[in-house]
């Protein structure tokens, strides 16, 4: 039996990356995608160039401009993002069948047979990345996680960004998860983190040690 069963691909800074793909003048520039062109609104996405200055989803634009004086604002185009989602889905399925769609920027695939072996799974991931760059867009970087379970593949897809590839084997568990923050685990947002802290649980290691 192979060591891996699931592959999750997560597209990095998706809305911002789509805008940079469609408009070469925005490439390598700090941009924020916004619902309206106003300093009182918040960013719904930020390019990695903007993230380097601390701008992220939810940052108020007046604050983002203070953090990153050269920030460029781009109005959101949701129809474009949906269209790009469909194009990416088609390319992902050229490499391995789709198992589920997590969100507009995330897909999970089920590996079977020889695909489950480490070398083959890694090759599928690299070919998928190359196919996306060639057929969909060179700015659409992704992080891929490969693991024995669907949950672990999703966690792995967030462990190396941008443009990462992380494989989690059973022998790596649970220690590979210990450096993660509690909020790195799916389902744990700030409110749940606060509840866990109140119960004295401040690390993933503590959480996983509970019976």
């Amino acid at each position: 039996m192979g060591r891996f069963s699931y592959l999750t691909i997560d597209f990095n800074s998706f809305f911002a990356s789509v805008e940079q793909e469609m408009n070469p003048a925005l490439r390598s520039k700090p941009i924020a995608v916004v619902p309206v062109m106003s300093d009182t609104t918040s960013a719904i996405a930020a390019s990695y160039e903007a993230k380097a200055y601390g701008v992220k989803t939810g940052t108020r634009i007046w604050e983002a401009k203070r953090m990153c004086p050269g920030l460029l604002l781009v109005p959101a185009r949701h129809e474009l993002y949906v269209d790009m989602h469909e194009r990416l889905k088609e390319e992902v399925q050229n490499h391995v069948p789709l198992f589920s769609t997590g969100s507009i920027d995330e897909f999970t695939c089920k590996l079977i047979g020889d695909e489950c072996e480490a070398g083959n799974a890694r090759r599928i991931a690299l070919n998928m990345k190359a196919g996306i760059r060639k057929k969909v867009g060179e700015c659409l970087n992704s992080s891929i996680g490969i693991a024995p379970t669907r949950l672990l593949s999703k966690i792995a897809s967030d462990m190396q960004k941008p443009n990462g590839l992380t494989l989690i084997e059973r022998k790596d568990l649970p220690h590979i998860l210990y450096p993660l923050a509690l909020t790195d685990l799916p389902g744990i947002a700030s409110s749940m983190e606060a509840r866990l802290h109140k119960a004295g649980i401040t690390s993933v290691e503590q959480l996983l040690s509970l019976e």
Side-chain angles (χ1 to χ4, degrees), residues 150-210:
R150 182 180 176 185
L151 175 63
L152 286 171
S153 72
K154 178 173 175 57
I155 292 172
S157 71
D158 287 328
M159 291 178 69
Q160 185 182 352
K161 288 189 172 183
N163 205 28
L165 173 56
T166 302
L167 281 71
I168 295 180
E169 298 186 51
R170 292 190 185 278
K171 67 180 180 61
D172 299 325
L173 300 169
H175 303 88
I176 195 171
L177 304 178
Y178 289 169
L180 301 179
L182 288 169
T183 51
D184 289 331
L185 301 182
I188 300 182
S190 56
S191 58
M192 177 60 73
E193 181 185 37
R195 291 174 62 187
L196 289 170
H197 284 182
K198 189 174 181 180
I201 301 167
T202 59
S203 70
V204 171
E205 183 173 2
Q206 286 178 301
L207 180 64
L208 296 180
S209 69
L210 296 176

Side-chain angles (χ1 to χ4, degrees), residues 129-145:
K129 284 173 173 281
I132 288 166
R133 284 194 298 271
K134 181 178 180 180
K135 300 177 185 178
V136 186
E138 61 185 51
C139 294
L140 300 170
N141 287 327
S142 62
S143 292
I144 294 179

